[in-house]
Amino acid sequence: MKPDVDVGRRRLLLSAAALTAVPIGLGSEAIAAETKAPPGATAFDVPEDATKTMGRSLLEDGGYGQRSQFETEVRIKADNPNDMTSWSFTPLAATIGNLTPSGLHYERHHGGIPTIDPARHSLYIHGLVDVPKKFSMDDIKRFPSLTRKYFIECSGNTLGEWSRPTGKTVQVTHGLLSTSEWTGVPFATFARQVGLKDNAAWVLAEGADAAVMTRSIPLDKLLSDGLIVYGQNGEALRPEQGYPLRLVVPGYEGNMQIKWLRRLQVSDRPFMTREETARYTGLMTDGRARQFYYAMDAKSVITFPSGDMMLPKPGSYQVRGFAWTGRGRVQAVDLSFDGGKTWTPARLDDVPEPMCTVRFSCPWYWDGKPAILQSRCIEDSGYVQPTRAELLPLRGENFVYHYNAIQSWAVAADGSVSNVHV
């Protein structure tokens, strides 16, 4: 699993340099003509002195807005032969703050991105209910809503690291992780509308994409904090994130957060769909497969410095990263600069919230000698993110999903940073 070779970090850095460099003898008009703006932006002439030139007029962007032409970070896609069933990675190292911009939220699709008219879309709830009902988008938006910050992580995040270091950058190793502010209606509100039978215990969620993605979800979890979502980061969901309606199951693996949600069927047992039998199960060391393993375990990663970066010289640096857990809140993060021999507490830059990422930071003086940087997450239950040596005996190298071992970045004497296992 790796990004296309022509869209790596080096190319993005070169793109930024190309946008800001001024070739000798070229005016701003020539620069603009030769420069192609990154996605989401437009290339404009750059005046020698912005105080001497009038800026652009109001709503010249059409009324929606765009990012600066000097911001070049994008998602990168997996090197798969079929882009209809593939994924893209969030540029974690470039994220500012704790929320992922909607346009940079990672993707995972099984049948492409459908185009759905919200006026024709509805949510049907049936099965072990008193009164089956169909809700239009207008019906859904009339209910009282909630807004909550939650991360979503694909259970295949970091799957290439089970046996050996494979991802060169943090975008590839951990980029199937994003955090958004979600707005929608609690599932419990719909449960009251339809009524639940006494033997109701599971819910099948179904999407309206070409794959007709389905997953069985425990009813108790949905009643606790499940959200039927139509908003993301202050606007409607993006099409690639499930427009016009998706399910958010806080802390559970990404495949259960059904996008383009159209149906919820209540039952007394799980439905044993393809995605919870042939897929999204973990092969144990004894040959048995572990099913219904939903919550994402405590995990963390250093985003600076991280793989494929270069520290220019010895000196003081601010180590930064993310920590998260699907089983509660992040309580603390420890950092090691010697491969796990000693640990020091990191600063939490955010107030920990349930099932939400937390940014951490810590000053570090690099003396120019080789070093191995690690982070470990401690959740409020007391669980501590394991080392590889602790995780592998429990699951083996063929578990595939839910890899949450401590990530190691090696800083060489020349300042280059690489992905290593220790």
Side-chain angles (χ1 to χ4, degrees):
M1 185 170 68
K2 58 183 184 297
D4 285 354
V5 294
D6 64 336
V7 197
R9 176 178 174 81
R10 299 182 190 278
R11 178 183 172 191
L12 295 179
L13 291 174
L14 289 173
S15 297
L19 285 167
T20 56
V22 180
I24 297 175
L26 288 180
S28 60
E29 294 81 4
I31 296 171
E34 289 189 357
T35 301
K36 181 180 179 181
T42 301
F44 296 102
D45 295 345
V46 181
E48 293 296 329
D49 184 349
T51 67
K52 300 295 191 295
T53 305
M54 288 295 292
R56 298 187 298 279
S57 62
L58 182 69
L59 297 187
E60 190 175 311
D61 55 24
Y64 184 73
Q66 55 188 305
R67 66 175 178 171
S68 167
Q69 65 199 65
F70 303 104
E71 298 300 319
T72 59
E73 292 293 342
V74 294
R75 294 169 297 197
I76 54 177
K77 67 184 182 70
D79 188 13
N80 284 348
N82 184 351
D83 289 339
M84 294 296 102
T85 172
S86 191
W87 52 92
S88 67
F89 304 92
T90 290
L92 292 177
T95 301
I96 299 173
N98 198 34
L99 291 181
T100 306
S102 298
L104 294 178
H105 194 291
Y106 88 87
E107 301 167 88
R108 176 64 170 107
H109 307 306
H110 296 259
I113 304 169
T115 300
I116 298 176
D117 181 352
R120 298 167 53 191
H121 189 74
S122 62
L123 173 64
Y124 182 48
I125 304 179
H126 65 119
L128 294 180
V129 299
D130 296 331
V131 183
K133 288 186 179 181
K134 183 178 288 187
F135 301 89
S136 69
M137 288 302 300
D138 286 340
D139 294 334
I140 294 169
K141 291 182 178 180
R142 276 194 286 266
F143 290 121
S145 65
L146 293 177
T147 298
R148 296 288 185 270
K149 285 188 288 186
Y150 295 123
F151 76 82
I152 294 181
E153 181 184 16
C154 178
S155 61
N157 199 23
T158 328
L159 66 78
E161 301 298 308
W162 277 103
S163 58
R164 65 186 185 280
T166 57
K168 290 185 177 181
T169 69
V170 69
Q171 185 169 9
V172 175
T173 59
H174 291 74
L176 296 180
L177 166 78
S178 300
T179 302
S180 287
E181 191 174 71
W182 306 100
T183 298
V185 181
F187 170 83
T189 298
F190 293 94
R192 287 192 291 269
Q193 291 291 314
V194 300
L196 299 174
K197 300 292 187 183
D198 290 341
N199 58 337
W202 291 81
V203 178
L204 180 76
E206 180 182 87
D209 58 330
V212 192
M213 179 58 60
T214 51
R215 284 298 300 266
S216 300
I217 304 168
L219 176 61
D220 287 347
K221 172 63 176 176
L222 288 177
L223 289 172
S224 172
D225 55 13
L227 276 179
I228 310 299
V229 163
Y230 50 79
Q232 178 184 10
N233 295 334
E235 63 177 356
L237 291 166
R238 297 291 178 99
E240 66 271 18
Q241 296 305 325
Y243 182 87
L245 197 66
R246 77 172 296 166
L247 182 63
V248 170
V249 190
Y252 276 24
E253 61 186 14
N255 183 255
M256 303 180 74
Q257 327 271 337
I258 299 297
K259 295 183 285 189
W260 314 291
L261 183 68
R262 70 174 184 181
R263 186 168 71 91
L264 294 170
Q265 182 177 352
V266 183
S267 176
D268 60 348
R269 67 195 67 185
F271 287 75
M272 298 298 182
T273 70
R274 172 185 179 274
E275 303 303 319
E276 56 209 39
T277 53
R279 297 289 185 271
Y280 297 97
T281 60
L283 184 60
M284 305 291 287
T285 55
D286 61 5
R288 294 182 298 169
R290 186 171 185 176
Q291 281 184 286
F292 309 123
Y293 186 67
Y294 299 143
M296 302 306 296
D297 293 312
K299 197 169 177 179
S300 66
V301 66
I302 293 171
T303 57
F304 179 85
S306 57
D308 217 24
M309 292 184 181
M310 176 71 73
L311 298 183
K313 61 181 180 180
S316 297
Y317 292 92
Q318 192 76 8
V319 176
R320 299 187 297 270
F322 288 102
W324 63 98
T325 176
R327 299 183 186 277
R329 302 173 192 255
V330 174
Q331 179 171 290
V333 177
D334 292 336
L335 294 182
S336 175
F337 305 104
D338 54 14
K341 296 177 183 177
T342 61
W343 295 89
T344 187
R347 175 182 183 269
L348 298 186
D349 300 335
D350 312 292
V351 177
E353 299 181 56
M355 281 71 77
C356 186
T357 50
V358 173
R359 271 191 171 273
F360 63 81
S361 60
C362 184
W364 172 55
Y365 184 86
W366 179 48
D367 59 9
K369 298 178 182 178
I372 296 180
L373 276 57
Q374 298 176 325
S375 63
R376 67 183 182 190
C377 174
I378 300 100
E379 66 180 36
D380 54 2
S381 71
Y383 175 85
V384 179
Q385 182 181 0
T387 64
R388 282 181 51 78
E390 293 168 335
L391 182 66
L392 289 181
L394 297 175
R395 300 182 186 172
E397 293 186 4
N398 298 314
F399 199 84
V400 179
Y401 303 102
H402 291 261
Y403 181 91
N404 73 313
I406 290 172
Q407 171 68 40
S408 302
W409 301 117
V411 180
D414 65 356
S416 61
V417 186
S418 60
N419 179 10
V420 296
H421 285 177
V422 297

